[in-house]
Amino acid sequence: DAGVIQSPRHEVTEMGQEVTLRCKPISGHNSLFWYRQTMMRGLELLIYFNNNVPIDDSGMPEDRFSAKMPNASFSTLKIQPSEPRDSAVYFCASSGLLGAYEQYFGPGTRLTVT
Amino acid sequence: AQSVSQHNHHVILSEAASLELGCNYSYGGTVNLFWYVQYPGQHLQLLLKYFSGDPLVKGIKGFEAEFIKSKFSFNLRKPSVQWSDTAEYFCAVDTGRRALTFGSGTRLQVQP
């Protein structure tokens, strides 16, 4: 199993540009989570999906952030327009349906907005 | 809303020393508890988890944690740390909504 796959691993962009982060969850997992990690705020949940449906997006900072999960094997997190304060590491995680549904994290995307 | 507190932000130990990292949560209902580790430059990996049953749970790499319901605590322990345990450790709580609330993390530095 390849684990959770995220792309790109690093992204540097200028303020005002659109940024799209991508995630492929572990095959068979039905829940997908987007987290953001910063020095100031630690690890924060942005949004999570269950069976491709957004369940809780209360952590999404503002309307500039949007997330989609068009199918069970792909999700995107988009920031438009990006701002320097969006600089962070964005993690995607997935978990399964049965038993011990611990979350498995991807390697993260380090976003730098200049 | 639930919250998770990790009071030790930075811990420095010598190899072979014993480790205990504190984790307290604020939620009155049933919880699932986790400890994750993040090695430098890497993603989070699960160390151990508690769902029910024996409150003393054992995880990978010699780590264990004890759930004390009356104290709302889930402290992480290891009898003898190694240099390779240098990492950041996160306690996390799931209150049944499937999403995790993380503590602020404890950075452990083990000196050889």
Side-chain angles (χ1 to χ4, degrees):
Chain A
D1 194 331
V4 176
I5 299 172
Q6 290 186 247
S7 65
R9 295 292 306 276
H10 301 272
E11 176 80 31
V12 180
T13 190
E14 292 183 348
M15 183 174 63
Q17 297 298 306
E18 176 180 298
V19 175
T20 299
L21 311 182
R22 297 173 176 79
C23 175
K24 177 177 168 45
I26 292 173
S27 178
H29 281 187
N30 73 321
S31 295
L32 183 141
F33 308 80
W34 282 101
Y35 292 90
R36 179 172 66 176
Q37 185 179 37
T38 61
M39 290 291 291
M40 292 298 295
R41 301 174 67 89
L43 268 162
E44 305 173 278
L45 175 71
L46 298 177
I47 185 171
Y48 84 93
F49 296 84
N50 197 39
N51 293 324
N52 312 338
V53 176
I55 302 299
D56 184 349
D57 65 354
S58 59
M60 295 287 263
E62 47 198 276
D63 292 345
R64 297 185 297 106
F65 285 69
S66 62
K68 294 182 179 179
M69 192 164 185
N71 57 62
S73 59
F74 184 65
S75 176
T76 59
L77 178 68
K78 185 178 294 186
I79 309 172
Q80 165 63 15
S82 58
E83 296 182 3
R85 60 192 168 120
D86 302 331
S87 297
V89 180
Y90 291 81
F91 288 102
C92 176
S94 70
S95 70
L97 177 63
L98 300 175
Y101 44 87
E102 62 261 30
Q103 296 179 23
Y104 294 83
F105 282 75
T109 295
R110 182 173 296 277
L111 173 65
T112 303
V113 183
T114 61
Chain B
Q2 64 273 14
S3 66
V4 181
S5 298
Q6 291 182 244
H7 304 294
N8 313 105
H9 297 294
H10 190 192
V11 173
I12 302 174
L13 295 174
S14 298
E15 275 192 315
S18 64
L19 170 72
E20 180 159 4
L21 302 182
C23 173
N24 288 90
Y25 63 93
S26 63
Y27 183 73
T30 302
V31 293
N32 300 314
L33 299 158
F34 305 82
W35 275 97
Y36 281 84
V37 59
Q38 187 176 29
Y39 297 103
Q42 297 190 24
H43 61 284
L44 279 80
Q45 302 172 42
L46 182 68
L47 266 183
L48 49 77
K49 60 184 184 286
Y50 172 80
F51 280 59
S52 63
D54 189 342
L56 183 63
V57 293
K58 295 189 183 300
I60 61 171
K61 304 186 181 187
F63 286 91
E64 64 179 31
E66 184 175 13
F67 171 50
I68 302 179
K69 189 174 181 179
S70 61
K71 295 184 177 180
F72 299 91
S73 69
F74 190 56
N75 292 354
L76 180 71
R77 299 195 291 249
K78 185 171 184 178
S80 176
V81 294
Q82 302 171 324
W83 177 79
S84 58
D85 292 325
T86 295
E88 191 154 15
Y89 293 81
F90 294 91
C91 181
V93 172
D94 167 24
T95 59
R97 57 190 275 261
R98 299 295 299 276
L100 295 177
T101 301
F102 282 88
S104 56
T106 297
R107 188 174 300 276
L108 171 65
Q109 184 179 345
V110 180
Q111 297 176 331

